[in-house]
């Protein structure tokens, strides 16, 4: 695909001379570690040490108009997700086929129905969202949405220090006038203020905030930074970390449906795990999810927000006439529709059959996606055709969506990884922008609705996916150009 894509200019001329580059990379690595742009090593894991997180040495250029478009549409997307999450009929019809063939989504849906029937006890919903975009060179370099994350939207913590990191790098290179093109980023504070706002609404000064975490956390900085920020913003609020298994072992509800863990009342639950089947090794973890869902604790996400973030829902929202069910102003509808790219369902109907045919005829134009989060689950290129051929006559296909492949412009720069060579090689890259949003409200009213910051991650142009935690992407920050 890379030959077809146009190029964005780099923020300063590259290559950088070898001597300058080597010294700069050494300093930049230490800056990253010492400011928490770091992760635990997967290769030699230790709770006592950190590696720097992979980074892009120079900030990648991003058209300022498209950056602003992404920022401005966020509060409309927040509102959209919030309304979708509160519409039982829409979620039920949209996911009807999917939950019969996709066991994981089916299990989430069972919990959803249980608590809907029993009556939801949390007072308000807290959405900590991240909408992801790439520039589509086939649409006049407009941004197109990759997906919206309603669970475990990560990198708000580390991304907040990336503009400072790139400011330092540019200063080292003597490029002082370039610094004004790095937009401020307050994602961390924004997300933590959202959690604290929910904590306040819960109304128990002794109650804690619970982070649901994986058994082993590699992306530790991006969770501890939140924890430390919460203490900084309100010194009286304690954060505890537990796995789903630990909640299963030690969690209970008191007579007021408050969640109690190890004697502590939980006011807010922030999920950094629970989005993939592997996080639920046994029934105990599913029971833990149901227990939390039944509780008064304000969950980010609550189960209906989790379901509203599925890829099937994303695809359903792109069908004509659907946005109108949730948004009233034509201008809002237009700005959301503008960021959608082709999204197709694979139901057994005329439209689904057409989509199957499109994928078989031109597999390179599409990405095939199941109902999964966390990276590494999609199919690209010739695999789209192979997988489609295998499943086109089985019910399984209804749990997948077909999405038009976004072709982002290329940029040239240096990706620096732990144990990589110094100097790093110059490479062709593509970037993906994430915009963070916070929303709090109930089915009647919205109390808080904000855009709070951004993150940029960049990968070599030949990689299909660029998850930083998954090891393919690198942290970056946007360098805005006209
Ligand atoms: P996940 O929930 O696993 O993060 P995504 O939909 O975000 O799933 O896809 C993972 C990655 O795959 C994205 O971050 C992006 O790099 C790539 N990708 C997804 N959809 C597209 C698309 N339509 N065009 C090009 N790349 C895509
Ligand atoms: Mg994603």
């Amino acid at each position: 695909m890379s030959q077809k894509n146009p190029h964005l200019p780099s923020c300063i001329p590259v290559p950088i001379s070898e001597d300058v580059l080597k010294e700069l990379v050494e300093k930049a690595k230490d800056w990253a570690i010492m400011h928490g742009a770091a992760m635990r090593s997967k290769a030699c894991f230790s709770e006592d040490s950190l590696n720097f997180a992979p980074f892009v040495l120079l900030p990648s250029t991003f058209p300022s108009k498209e950056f602003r478009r992404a920022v401005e549409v966020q509060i409309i997307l927040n509102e959209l997700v919030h309304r979708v999450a509160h519409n039982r009929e829409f979620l039920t019809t949209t996911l009807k086929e999917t939950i019969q063939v996709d066991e994981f989504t089916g299990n989430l849906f069972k919990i959803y129905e249980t608590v809907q029937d029993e009556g939801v006890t949390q007072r308000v919903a807290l959405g900590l969202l991240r909408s992801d975009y790439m520039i589509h060179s086939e649409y006049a370099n407009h941004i197109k949405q990759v997906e919206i994350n309603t669970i475990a939207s990560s990198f708000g913590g580390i991304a907040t220090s990336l503009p400072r990191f790139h400011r330092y790098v540019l200063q080292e290179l003597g490029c002082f006038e370039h610094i004004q093109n790095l937009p401020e980023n307050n994602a961390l504070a924004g997300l933590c203020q959202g959690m604290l706002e929910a904590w306040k609404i819960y109304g128990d000064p002794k109650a804690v905030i619970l982070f649901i975490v994986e058994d082993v956390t590699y992306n530790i900085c991006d969770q501890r930074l939140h924890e430390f920020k919460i203490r900084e913003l309100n010194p009286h609020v304690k954060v505890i970390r537990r796995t789903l298994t630990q909640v299963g072992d030690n969690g209970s509800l008191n007579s007021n449906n408050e969640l109690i863990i190890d004697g502590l009342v939980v006011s807010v639950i922030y999920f950094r795990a629970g989005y993939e089947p592997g996080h639920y090794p046994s029934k105990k973890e599913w029971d833990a999810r149901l227990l939390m869902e039944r509780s008064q604790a304000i969950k980010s996400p609550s189960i209906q927000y989790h379901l509203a973030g599925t890829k099937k829902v994303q695809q359903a929202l792109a069908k004509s006439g659907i946005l109108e069910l949730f948004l009233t102003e034509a201008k809002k509808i237009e700005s959301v529709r503008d960021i959608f790219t082709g999204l197709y369902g694979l139901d057994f109907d005329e439209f689904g059959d057409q989509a199957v045919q499109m994928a078989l005829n031109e597999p390179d134009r599409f990405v095939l996606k199941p109902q999964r989060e966390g990276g590494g689950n999609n199919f690209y290129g010739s695999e789209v055709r192979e997988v489609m051929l295998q499943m086109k006559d089985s019910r399984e296909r209804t749990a997948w969506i077909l999405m038009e492949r976004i072709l982002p412009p290329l940029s040239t720069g240096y990706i620096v990884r732990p144990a990589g060579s110094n100097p790093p090689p110059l490479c062709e890259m593509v970037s993906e922008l994430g915009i963070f949003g916070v929303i709090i409200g109930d089915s009647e009213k919205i109390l808080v609705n904000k855009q709070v910051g951004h993150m940029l991650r960049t990968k070599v142009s030949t990689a299909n996916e660029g998850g930083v935690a998954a090891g393919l992407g690198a942290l970056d920050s946007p360098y805005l150009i006209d």
Side-chain angles (χ1 to χ4, degrees):
M1 81 173 190
S2 47
Q3 284 77 1
K4 284 193 278 179
N5 305 25
H7 241 101
L8 288 170
S10 48
C11 68
I12 60 163
V14 288
I16 300 173
S17 77
E18 189 169 320
D19 290 349
V20 174
L21 184 60
K22 271 178 145 165
E23 193 178 334
L24 181 59
V25 166
E26 281 170 19
K27 288 191 189 198
K29 286 189 206 182
D30 287 339
W31 195 101
I33 296 176
M34 294 167 69
H35 292 79
M39 286 179 169
R40 298 235 200 272
S41 165
K42 281 191 178 159
C44 43
F45 179 83
S46 159
E47 281 191 357
D48 299 341
S49 62
L50 293 169
N51 280 349
F52 65 89
F55 60 79
V56 181
L57 185 64
L58 302 168
S60 295
T61 43
F62 202 94
S64 56
K65 197 164 145 248
E66 296 306 306
F67 181 80
R68 276 200 307 275
R69 188 199 299 273
V71 164
E72 279 161 19
V73 79
Q74 188 59 41
I75 57 168
I76 307 171
L77 291 175
N78 291 346
E79 180 185 340
L80 174 65
V81 170
H82 186 78
R83 299 208 186 289
V84 168
H86 286 90
N87 189 322
R88 186 170 181 179
E89 192 191 330
F90 178 75
L91 288 179
T92 307
T93 0
T94 303
L95 295 169
K96 198 169 102 219
E97 301 292 328
T98 305
I99 57 174
Q100 290 180 37
V101 275
D102 186 79
E103 194 188 347
F104 180 70
T105 314
N107 285 339
L108 295 175
F109 200 81
K110 266 185 232 151
I111 295 178
Y112 172 65
E113 290 209 297
T114 305
V115 291
Q116 287 291 314
D117 291 343
E118 291 175 359
V120 172
T121 60
Q122 74 168 13
R123 252 157 284 173
V124 294
L126 165 65
L128 303 171
L129 314 178
R130 198 189 74 212
S131 179
D132 291 338
Y133 304 91
M134 290 197 282
I135 299 225
H136 200 340
S137 42
E138 288 189 350
Y139 280 96
N141 281 340
H142 281 198
I143 46 160
K144 291 289 168 187
Q145 187 183 50
V146 174
E147 65 158 346
I148 189 155
N149 299 285
T150 60
I151 182 163
S153 310
S154 59
F155 288 110
I158 300 183
T160 296
S161 49
L162 260 287
R164 276 188 290 137
F165 168 79
H166 280 132
R167 194 189 313 150
Y168 171 75
V169 167
L170 290 170
Q171 283 163 344
E172 282 294 308
L173 290 165
C175 302
F176 298 97
E177 72 288 4
H178 289 68
I179 288 163
Q180 60 190 352
N181 294 11
L182 298 170
E184 282 275 315
N185 193 5
N186 295 310
L188 179 63
L191 295 170
C192 293
Q193 273 155 359
M195 286 189 246
L196 284 170
E197 194 70 38
W199 174 86
K200 218 188 294 164
I201 292 171
Y202 193 87
D204 176 350
K206 290 214 189 65
V208 300
I209 297 180
L210 166 66
F211 286 14
I212 296 294
V213 299
E214 291 167 272
D215 295 340
V216 180
T217 304
Y218 296 103
N219 196 10
I220 187 71
C221 297
D222 196 60
Q223 297 176 11
R224 289 286 188 214
L225 286 169
H226 296 67
E227 195 173 329
F228 303 156
K229 192 69 178 180
I230 287 170
R231 265 286 184 219
E232 184 189 317
L233 292 171
N234 187 334
H236 301 288
V237 180
K238 185 183 181 73
V239 170
I240 60 169
R241 296 164 58 83
R242 296 290 186 275
T243 63
L244 286 169
T245 314
Q246 288 169 328
V247 175
D249 284 333
N250 304 321
S252 60
L253 299 185
N254 69 11
S255 55
N256 293 326
N257 282 327
E258 290 191 296
L259 180 66
I260 314 290
I261 307 247
D262 302 323
L264 300 163
V265 177
V266 175
S267 57
V268 175
I269 309 177
Y270 173 50
F271 284 85
R272 289 297 295 257
Y275 53 83
E276 64 171 49
H279 297 159
Y280 300 82
S282 69
K283 184 167 174 297
K284 184 191 286 176
E285 290 73 22
W286 283 113
D287 289 346
R289 185 79 194 261
L290 176 60
L291 183 84
M292 291 187 278
E293 211 51 46
R294 280 181 163 145
S295 79
Q296 278 200 52
I298 299 168
K299 294 154 286 279
S300 185
S302 48
I303 200 87
Q304 82 266 32
Y305 257 76
H306 191 165
L307 292 170
T310 54
K311 296 186 169 61
K312 186 65 196 171
V313 166
Q314 180 189 10
Q315 176 260 314
L317 289 173
K319 289 199 282 195
S320 83
I322 301 295
L323 285 176
E324 286 78 356
L325 300 175
F326 302 102
L327 300 169
T328 44
E329 282 171 54
K331 236 177 98 191
K332 286 186 179 176
I333 295 171
E334 203 42 49
S335 59
V336 174
R337 209 186 310 283
D338 249 14
I339 59 163
F340 285 169
T341 189
L343 286 152
Y344 310 92
L346 295 168
D347 290 343
F348 283 96
D349 58 15
E350 178 197 346
F351 301 111
D353 290 344
Q354 273 171 16
V356 168
Q357 212 46 54
M358 288 191 317
L360 294 177
N361 293 346
E362 293 182 281
D364 288 336
R365 281 191 50 219
F366 300 99
V367 181
L368 188 59
K369 299 188 176 186
Q371 306 306 307
R372 288 290 171 276
E373 304 293 328
N377 302 298
N378 304 337
F379 290 99
Y380 303 82
S382 59
E383 284 180 338
V384 169
R385 192 160 190 278
E386 287 160 31
V387 175
M388 194 62 98
L389 276 175
Q390 275 167 27
M391 72 176 179
K392 73 181 174 47
D393 299 319
S394 89
R395 278 178 82 198
E396 196 202 335
R397 83 177 208 198
T398 59
W400 295 68
I401 66 159
L402 187 71
M403 183 172 182
E404 182 181 340
R405 185 162 189 164
I406 307 169
L407 295 176
L410 304 176
S411 56
T412 309
Y414 301 99
I415 295 181
V416 181
R417 296 181 187 288
S421 62
N422 191 11
L426 200 58
C427 61
E428 302 261 57
M429 316 177 299
V430 294
S431 299
E432 186 170 346
L433 176 71
I435 302 288
F436 291 97
V438 173
I439 184 156
I440 301 178
D442 59 23
S443 56
E444 312 274 290
K445 56 188 182 310
I446 290 172
L447 304 168
V448 174
N449 183 4
K450 288 185 190 159
Q451 179 274 327
V452 296
H454 61 269
M455 63 97 82
L456 192 75
R457 63 193 151 154
T458 294
K459 63 186 179 187
V460 289
S461 64
T462 47
N464 287 324
E465 297 198 9
V468 179
L472 291 166
L475 296 170
D476 198 350
S477 53
Y479 180 89
L480 302 183
I481 52 166
D482 287 335

